[in-house]
Amino acid sequence: MAQAGGTLYLFGGFGTKALGDLWCFNISTSTWSNISTFAGASPSARFSHGMTSLGNKLFIFGGNDNSAALDGLFLFDIAKGRWSQVNGGGDWPVARYSFGMSTLDAHRLILFGGTNNSGVMNDMFVFDPASLVWRELSVTGTLPAQRAGFGMAVAGQRAIVFGGTGGSISGVLSDVWVIDGPTDVAWPMDAAAGLFVGIYDWDTVLLDATAGRNRILGQMVLCTRLFPCALQVVGPSGPRLGILERQGNGSIKCADSQGCTGVWLVNVQLVCLESVTKSPASHSPLASDSALISLVNVHATGCWSASDGGVLRCFGGGGAELRVSNSSFFSSKSSGMGGAISAFACTVRVEDTVFQGCRADGGGGALAVEAYTCYGEEGVVLSDVALIGCSFISCAAANSGGAILIDSSQASATMTNCDFVSCSSNASGGALAISNGAFAVASKVTARNNRALVKGGGLFVSDDSTVSLSHAHFVGNMALGYGGGAIFTDKSEIWLDDVMCQNNSASAGGGGALFWDGTEPRVLGNHSLSVNAGPSKSPINGLCGVGNVAMYGDCLATSYAYLMVAAMSSIVYPGITIEAIVYKKDHYNQTITIDSESMLQMVGLAKTASGYEVDSEISVSGAFIGLFSHGVATLLASIKPKYRLVDSQRGITELKTPVLMILMGADTATGVEMMTTPYEPPFATGFDVCPPGYILALESADSSGARRGSCTRCGISQYSVSPLAGPTSGSPSCFNCPPSAECKGGDEITFSRGRWVIANGMYMLVGCPRGYQLV
């Protein structure tokens, strides 16, 4: 039962079974009424629970439902007639019943003792509804014995306990105990250790709105020297918050190894003076080592740390936990990772919070999340992040992740109803970078006008990471380098559902909306993006919206997929230059016009039992190495094969082995080896083995008798009418120009007199003009 105003309220209890009804008793009229109409889900039926009031709100905790002890906390708003379950954090009390619970002061609840199936207890907790945090109190002096079913009341700041049963003392107890509860104290001037005398873990330290009064000058390591093991700092709840100034290297550190249980800041304006001194502090103003830090309605301005985390650094695993709600971080900076928050093996939950103008010289302009490794692989601890209703505005990083970097296979993140606006990265991921095997789920997110110097103007996913992206809008983002105006994914798995991209650009790369390398993104229903490759295709869930532009693939683009040989000579003569025009294509048959660096080489191949290998007996000369220019490479090369048979009489030419050619090289962007399929050039044969005016010049025979051949054009004063003929039988060569003829080279020959015919591959005189004799 609890009193609020002039009314008593009763919930639950036990009749023939556990009850779950709510009644009120009007003291002035002595009238009972059942409150049967309400909003929300009421607590389950129970008895022996705790019930108290705070203002016009009723709180119910724990109890017994006739089968087990309970540990839920519920709130009934009397004015609104609404039930809600309270999900808080901190040192949540274990399930119990038959305990004492009361209102301690105007803003806290206190709980003591009780029992469950594990035994009777004498622990004590304080709950702060403003921060939704439970704290277990480390009580000094002699503790009351463990007990349940006792009476407890609060007078001022003291809780009075009488009687009860259980524990180490048998029978019914009749002792009376007074426990001095938490008190409100003012922040000690300059926060020197000696000034914390008399401030206990359960006390609330109050801040006023006076600038320059509440300061942190040095490092406060809680639970050492005279500092308490828990620190709750609360400012006024009005429009003017309590001001806490950080000067020099001032910081508050809570380390589990030192016995610290947590730090709670409520209604605080944290003002860092680094913007005045123009130099960073050595530490973050707030640091958690395997402990809890909770911020509610905290607004940090101008903090600059030389270490990771411009405002907050949470690390160490175990109980490392960071909770932030209804707060903001303005112009915070880190010379390392995480302009506002750095989390290594830490559980992070941030709600309804604004990050604006945050900067990091490393990655993660606002937030950087990584795994924490201690004592080898066995010491790897997960990092888990939840972001709900957060805004990231004009944040920037010198490395990846203009706003957020999630960078470990031991890290996971969920983002819901978050906005990323005008953030930038001098590497990849103008707003978000998910890398090194990290896992992320993002829903109802918006990325607008973000910029990356290299890849992924809005989102960059790489190195075996996994991302699920749903109900997301990417508008006006830019990638100034390799590509992915909105999204870039590299060798990772990404799932898309209702993702819309508009007016994004990859001005120097591919994929105005989305660029992928390695694994093609999938859409809801496990569909492929391939059906959307062309501009005439209907977009999947708006992915290819209007206004996306890129150097290639205004909507979708990929890295190298294959080489397309667009032009190759239909007849190949040995030793004579041929032209090959090759296009570098992506998976959507788009020319990768950004490549003016990769090179291709024409190479001869020999077929083996296991495949192919380079054939040294095929000579390739000329411009057989070609440099891509805007995705197109032109090679001008000649091929000199070996012939095992050249029969000039019968006009037979036979190659020693089949000639296979390939164009190959390395993609400078990805390092992937590029190559065409093996190609067998259509060499001319027989009397047509060379064009007119050429002879098949043969080199010295190898050990097998085969000779390398190439077509050689006859020079001035020479001629050829058959590539296999020559003055010496079996050795093709050019003939000297006959008498009374002019030979200009090749097959260009003019006779001034006589009648000449071709016989046996040469010109022969068969008749003379009048007055001449044939000799």
Side-chain angles (χ1 to χ4, degrees), residues 333-417:
K333 181 179 178 181
S334 166
S335 298
M337 310 280 283
I341 299 173
S342 170
F344 293 82
C346 179
T347 299
V348 179
R349 184 179 179 90
V350 184
E351 298 183 66
D352 302 319
T353 293
V354 176
F355 298 80
Q356 185 166 353
C358 301
R359 300 280 191 275
D361 290 341
L367 170 64
V369 181
E370 295 187 293
Y372 179 81
T373 304
C374 183
Y375 305 118
E377 294 183 359
E378 293 183 0
V380 175
V381 185
L382 297 177
S383 293
D384 187 21
V385 177
L387 304 174
I388 303 168
C390 295
S391 296
F392 299 83
I393 304 168
S394 300
C395 297
N399 213 313
S400 294
I404 296 176
L405 171 64
I406 312 292
D407 188 40
S408 171
S409 61
Q410 304 297 320
S412 63
T414 59
M415 289 162 269
T416 307
N417 291 320

Side-chain angles (χ1 to χ4, degrees), residues 316-619:
E321 186 176 0
L322 174 62
R323 297 197 199 102
V324 181
S325 62
N326 301 103
S327 298
S328 63
F329 298 84
F330 289 99
S331 301
S332 61
K333 181 179 178 181
S334 166
S335 298
M337 310 280 283
I341 299 173
S342 170
F344 293 82
C346 179
T347 299
V348 179
R349 184 179 179 90
V350 184
E351 298 183 66
D352 302 319
T353 293
V354 176
F355 298 80
Q356 185 166 353
C358 301
R359 300 280 191 275
D361 290 341
L367 170 64
V369 181
E370 295 187 293
Y372 179 81
T373 304
C374 183
Y375 305 118
E377 294 183 359
E378 293 183 0
V380 175
V381 185
L382 297 177
S383 293
D384 187 21
V385 177
L387 304 174
I388 303 168
C390 295
S391 296
F392 299 83
I393 304 168
S394 300
C395 297
N399 213 313
S400 294
I404 296 176
L405 171 64
I406 312 292
D407 188 40
S408 171
S409 61
Q410 304 297 320
S412 63
T414 59
M415 289 162 269
T416 307
N417 291 320
C418 292
D419 294 327
F420 301 86
V421 181
S422 300
C423 297
S424 62
S425 164
N426 285 343
S428 297
L432 288 157
I434 314 295
S435 57
N436 285 326
F439 175 83
V441 176
S443 176
K444 299 178 182 178
V445 298
T446 301
R448 291 179 289 122
N449 302 325
N450 302 288
R451 177 185 62 83
L453 194 61
V454 184
K455 304 173 184 177
L459 169 64
F460 174 68
V461 185
S462 68
D463 303 320
D464 298 316
S465 298
T466 302
V467 172
S468 173
L469 188 62
S470 62
H471 311 296
H473 288 185
F474 289 80
V475 180
N477 302 287
M478 295 185 295
L480 303 181
Y482 192 62
I487 303 169
F488 189 105
T489 173
D490 179 15
K491 300 177 182 63
S492 296
E493 185 173 313
I494 182 169
W495 292 82
L496 307 174
D497 175 24
D498 188 23
V499 177
M500 184 273 288
C501 298
Q502 289 183 343
N503 300 319
N504 303 286
S505 68
S507 58
L514 185 148
F515 186 105
W516 62 268
D517 178 25
T519 302
E520 184 178 22
R522 311 298 291 178
V523 297
L524 186 67
N526 200 27
H527 297 298
S528 169
L529 290 177
S530 298
V531 298
N532 281 78
S536 63
K537 304 292 185 180
S538 59
I540 298 175
N541 293 336
L543 178 64
C544 297
V546 299
N548 299 301
V549 295
M551 281 195 69
Y552 75 98
D554 285 343
C555 178
L556 305 176
T558 77
S559 58
Y560 161 77
Y562 68 97
L563 296 176
M564 185 183 78
V565 180
M568 184 75 83
S569 300
S570 59
I571 297 178
V572 177
Y573 298 105
I576 293 182
T577 298
I578 60 174
E579 182 182 59
I581 299 176
V582 185
Y583 290 82
K584 181 181 176 184
K585 295 288 188 175
D586 74 352
H587 285 269
Y588 302 122
N589 196 34
Q590 301 169 129
T591 300
I592 302 177
T593 56
I594 64 172
D595 191 353
S596 293
E597 297 180 353
S598 300
M599 295 195 306
L600 288 180
Q601 179 178 356
M602 186 180 290
V603 177
L605 296 180
K607 193 170 184 178
T608 66
S610 59
Y612 299 94
E613 64 181 20
V614 175
D615 189 349
S616 60
E617 295 197 339
I618 301 174
S619 173

